[in-house]
Amino acid sequence: MTAENRALGAFYGLALGDALGMPTQSLSREQVQKRFGAITGLEDADADQPIAPNRPAGSITDDTEQAILVGELLVEGKGKIEPTVLAQRLIDWEAVMRAKGSQDLLGPSTKRAIDMILAGHTPEESGRYGTTNGAAMRITPVGIAADVRDPAQFIQAVIQACQVTHNTTLGISSAAAVAAVVSAGINGVDLGEALNIGTQVAQQAERHGHWIAGGRISTRISWARTLSVGTGDKALFADLLYELIGTSVASQESVVVSFALAQQVAVGAMNAFEAVCLAASLGGDTDTIAAILGAMLGACLGMQCWPEAMVEQVKQVNGLDLQALVQGLLDIR
């Protein structure tokens, strides 16, 4: 399997997970069960979907769009992201979304950071309250462009992409964890070992950014990877994740849940597609959990772990072609 196959697997895995979670995002687990039972494929969003009403099956959301935005900035800057340029791109992106009448706008940490930038604060300062999963959801291109075999340099690449919005111990370590799994996967490391590397890099990355009180990402990931219900009952496992870890936009919930599900794939309890469907069925921040999970699994297992027809549908619905972008990111690597 080539590095390109794995990198495409990561980026299309992110888009597929995002699209699977689109109709269920911001719904409770009970609401998801009542409306969909369990997600087993791409679904249309209802008229009363709080963020993406009436969007057709296969539509991506801010997770994929902002990951593409970060990827394009990396290619333009030959591996460097200028924080103020990232801030401006995010402002421009939100303006386009508003013009479309979309509710899919900047998340709480990113919004606050951009307001601070506009008010004249430095990028170092603007991200000091960013604890949510916005940095982790758009970090995949950094994992494709940077090699985790040099951890210190790798963490600097992650910080560059996080600082303006998520310059905190939680924001940086959660993004570093996800990016490290993607990067290790592209190097040909198997899934279980890639998850180990993600846990280790999260621990090293916790030394950066403004300290925030909250469960440590690396410790919570290690613990979440030990969770199982013993019966192989997926619904029971999903209940456990929803009730015990939580599925909110907090990075120590949603990012940690993604690792718990990835571990289930690593031990053979489910395949990659079943895992992202389960993520999309959880309730809460389903599009982001499934997107992060899809990126990590795709990087380790390659493009062939995703149903071809569904990837094709996501490409068609969104006019998505990531080949050139992925090639540009690999050239940086």
Side-chain angles (χ1 to χ4, degrees):
M1 208 185 339
T2 62
E4 186 187 23
N5 178 298
R6 293 167 180 276
L8 286 167
F11 225 135
Y12 280 117
L14 183 143
L16 178 60
D18 186 15
L20 286 163
M22 178 275 297
T24 57
Q25 62 183 319
S26 297
L27 300 180
S28 71
R29 183 146 172 72
E30 292 67 32
Q31 286 172 312
V32 173
Q33 286 168 333
K34 201 168 147 192
R35 164 71 181 85
F36 299 101
I39 294 288
T40 54
L42 298 166
E43 298 273 1
D44 295 319
D46 280 352
D48 55 1
Q49 211 311 315
I51 296 175
N54 298 315
R55 295 286 293 281
S59 300
I60 55 169
T61 78
D62 59 337
D63 301 75
T64 310
E65 293 189 354
Q66 289 185 28
I68 291 170
L69 184 151
V70 167
E72 288 170 347
L73 283 179
L74 276 168
V75 172
E76 284 168 30
K78 298 184 171 51
K80 294 270 183 285
I81 292 179
E82 193 53 61
T84 46
V85 179
L86 175 58
Q88 188 56 52
R89 283 291 167 93
L90 288 167
I91 293 166
D92 296 346
W93 174 82
E94 190 178 55
V96 170
M97 298 305 278
R98 279 190 195 283
K100 282 200 257 184
S102 171
Q103 294 303 304
D104 209 353
L105 305 173
L106 296 172
S109 295
T110 302
K111 185 84 192 123
R112 184 172 184 173
I114 298 248
D115 288 342
M116 286 179 74
I117 290 271
L118 292 174
H121 291 270
T122 65
E124 290 77 24
E125 200 57 32
S126 62
R128 68 171 307 148
Y129 306 105
T131 59
T132 49
N133 55 22
M137 81 177 193
R138 52 180 181 248
I139 204 70
T140 290
V142 174
I144 298 173
D147 193 335
V148 74
R149 283 178 290 204
D150 182 346
Q153 210 174 343
F154 183 80
I155 289 168
Q156 285 309 313
V158 170
I159 291 169
Q160 235 194 152
C162 291
Q163 186 186 53
V164 68
T165 57
H166 293 77
N167 193 14
T168 62
T169 47
L170 288 175
I172 291 169
S173 60
S174 60
V178 175
V181 176
V182 171
S183 185
I186 288 166
N187 286 336
V189 171
D190 75 46
L191 178 57
E193 183 51 30
L195 295 174
N196 292 342
I197 292 169
T199 313
Q200 289 155 13
V201 170
Q203 197 173 359
Q204 293 168 321
E206 273 156 8
R207 301 182 201 128
H208 301 274
H210 294 274
W211 178 80
I212 295 283
R216 289 181 67 170
I217 296 293
S218 58
T219 315
R220 281 179 71 85
I221 287 172
S222 297
W223 160 72
R225 289 176 63 194
T226 68
L227 293 177
S228 69
V229 287
T231 59
D233 184 329
K234 292 192 187 71
L236 212 57
F237 186 66
D239 288 339
L240 183 72
L241 299 182
Y242 183 75
E243 291 166 20
L244 189 60
I245 302 176
T247 58
S248 76
V249 298
S251 51
Q252 66 270 41
E253 292 191 4
S254 42
V255 174
V256 172
V257 162
S258 304
F259 272 82
L261 284 165
Q263 181 66 25
Q264 293 296 301
V265 179
V267 299
M270 55 184 90
N271 67 33
F273 183 65
E274 287 169 337
V276 287
C277 285
L278 191 58
S281 308
L282 283 174
D285 198 6
T286 47
D287 57 328
T288 299
I289 295 168
I292 288 171
L293 177 62
M296 295 195 295
L297 295 176
C300 295
L301 304 172
M303 199 61 191
Q304 54 279 11
C305 74
W306 306 125
E308 217 172 306
M310 269 187 220
V311 172
E312 215 37 63
Q313 189 176 341
V314 171
K315 285 185 186 177
Q316 294 296 325
V317 170
N318 303 286
L320 203 59
D321 184 1
L322 299 169
Q323 186 87 37
L325 178 58
V326 163
Q327 198 48 64
L329 292 167
L330 287 171
D331 290 345
I332 294 167
R333 192 186 186 91

